Amino acid sequence: MANSIALAQKYLAVTDLVYKNESKTIDLDFANSEIEFIGANTAKVFKLSMNGLGDYSRDTGYVKGSVTGAWETLTLQKDRGVQLGVDRYDNEETLNQAFGKLAAEFERTQVIPEIDAYTFSKLYAGTGNTVVSAAITVGTTDAPALIDMGSQALDENEVPREGRILYVSPKAYAGLKSKITRYLANEREAVKAVEMYDDMKVIVVPPSRFASAITLNSGSGSFGFAPTVGGYYINFMIVHPSAVKKAVKHNMPKIFTPDVNQSSDQYLLDWRLYYDVFVLDNKTKGIYVHRDTSAIA
């Protein structure tokens, strides 16, 4: 069993690095230490509300106000997992590369895209702003003006400007770049990348992860996820991270060597992910969504 633990530690070091390079929503991750888990699938987040000012009376003094503290209950819904195996000699004949790369590739190509896609679908459903729909044509549509309207909506709802993140589809990103004038320090080098826009970090999201709703396949016939037919691809989304809580109860692969595995002569990777994503009741205005007009077929 010690050998299995050593392998797990070795492969986890690789997958941690891959996650940080590939995740589009890592900026929204929230430490579990700030969430109180009170049961197998329930977490709570404290929210506070209070009265504003009233008139002060020189005869009776202060108007009595109140402070209300309540725990917002968050119930985790997503319990996902799979078991993958690599034959002992398939692994040996590839100099330990077959299984050695399995964990990293599984997280990069399967786990991370699903978490991203699910996160954006929950943000879409949880926005407190009106969802705006319009097609974006690169070179024609004034993408910066559309984004500015989103920023204005957050400004009007007093969402902090500092820390906002602008998530964009490849098409919206191309539309943004096409309308921005750049000044190059080196005439031999053309740089068109937009990493920050109006003090917002810009993150480009692949369309497969950027839809209004996704379907999580059960593994009975189909695995993984896909954008839901009848939903919409998202053009861009402005998010203040304080509006979002990503609660992870369990995200830990288990690795078994063929010597430990009693059912087959394989290295086994058991991966279970138990988590959910929540938009807090008091902060729904911290999310602005602009989507395409054509439904996903």
Side-chain angles (χ1 to χ4, degrees), residues 38 43 49 91 107 113 134 143 182 191 212 225 233 237 239 266 288 293:
I38 60 171
S49 60
N91 189 58
E107 184 161 31
R182 292 168 181 78
V191 179
S212 63
F225 75 96
Y233 287 116
M237 183 180 289
V239 180
Q266 291 183 316
Y288 181 90
T293 53

Side-chain angles (χ1 to χ4, degrees), residues 120 123-124 165-167 210 234 236-239 287-289:
F120 287 121
L123 299 185
Y124 182 97
I165 302 171
L166 172 61
Y167 297 99
F210 213 29
I234 299 168
F236 67 86
M237 183 180 289
I238 302 174
V239 180
I287 302 168
Y288 181 90
V289 179

Side-chain angles (χ1 to χ4, degrees), residues 1-294:
M1 188 62 71
N3 187 33
S4 178
I5 294 172
L7 281 172
Q9 292 172 340
K10 175 181 176 181
Y11 298 138
L12 278 174
V14 175
T15 56
D16 282 347
L17 177 61
V18 171
Y19 181 82
K20 291 176 182 177
N21 286 337
E22 300 294 336
S23 172
K24 303 301 180 183
T25 58
I26 192 170
D27 293 305
L28 303 178
D29 280 5
F30 187 72
N32 283 346
S33 61
E34 299 182 45
I35 295 179
E36 179 186 358
F37 282 96
I38 60 171
N41 67 339
T42 305
K44 286 194 172 184
V45 174
F46 190 72
K47 60 181 181 180
L48 189 66
S49 60
M50 65 207 72
N51 296 122
L53 294 170
D55 288 338
Y56 179 83
S57 170
R58 295 190 180 188
D59 294 324
T60 59
Y62 298 97
V63 178
K64 297 293 184 181
S66 63
V67 177
T68 302
W71 288 94
E72 183 175 343
T73 301
L74 312 175
T75 303
L76 277 65
Q77 301 287 342
K78 299 307 164 189
D79 198 351
R80 306 278 285 163
V82 73
Q83 182 179 86
L84 301 172
V86 175
D87 183 81
R88 178 197 296 267
Y89 291 106
D90 286 340
N91 189 58
E92 180 183 286
E93 290 163 5
T94 60
L95 301 177
N96 295 322
Q97 292 298 301
F99 192 75
K101 291 186 176 180
L102 174 62
E105 282 299 286
F106 180 70
E107 184 161 31
R108 185 179 72 85
T109 63
Q110 304 298 326
V111 176
I112 293 168
E114 181 174 311
I115 292 174
D116 284 347
Y118 180 71
T119 299
F120 287 121
S121 70
K122 290 296 292 280
L123 299 185
Y124 182 97
T127 179
N129 294 293
T130 301
V131 175
V132 179
S133 61
I136 290 181
T137 302
V138 178
T140 301
T141 304
D142 191 347
L146 297 178
I147 295 170
D148 291 345
M149 289 176 60
S151 292
Q152 180 181 342
L154 267 62
D155 289 342
E156 290 172 351
N157 286 292
E158 302 186 53
V159 178
R161 294 187 63 86
E162 183 178 0
R164 294 180 190 175
I165 302 171
L166 172 61
Y167 297 99
V168 292
S169 69
K171 181 183 288 187
Y173 182 61
L176 175 64
K177 292 194 298 180
S178 71
K179 295 296 182 178
I180 295 178
T181 302
R182 292 168 181 78
Y183 299 91
L184 302 180
N186 185 348
E187 64 181 13
R188 298 175 59 187
E189 180 180 354
V191 179
K192 298 184 68 179
V194 180
E195 297 181 353
M196 298 288 295
Y197 178 78
D198 199 17
D199 294 327
M200 294 183 289
K201 182 179 181 179
V202 178
I203 298 177
V204 182
V205 184
S208 62
R209 307 185 201 184
F210 213 29
S212 63
I214 65 166
T215 299
L216 296 175
N217 297 315
S218 67
S220 177
S222 297
F223 291 83
F225 75 96
T228 301
V229 173
Y232 297 89
Y233 287 116
I234 299 168
N235 290 324
F236 67 86
M237 183 180 289
I238 302 174
V239 180
H240 195 280
S242 65
V244 186
K245 296 292 175 278
K246 292 173 70 177
V248 178
K249 178 95 179 203
H250 185 86
N251 181 21
M252 180 62 66
K254 293 192 295 184
I255 295 173
F256 302 94
T257 67
D259 296 329
V260 174
N261 176 11
Q262 298 298 304
S263 60
S264 62
D265 196 25
Q266 291 183 316
Y267 289 92
L268 291 181
L269 170 67
D270 289 357
W271 198 298
R272 186 181 180 190
L273 175 64
Y274 190 23
Y275 78 109
D276 216 322
V277 179
F278 306 95
V279 177
L280 298 183
D281 292 345
N282 291 342
K283 298 186 177 180
T284 61
K285 295 293 187 179
I287 302 168
Y288 181 90
V289 179
H290 189 286
R291 67 163 173 82
D292 200 3
T293 53
S294 299

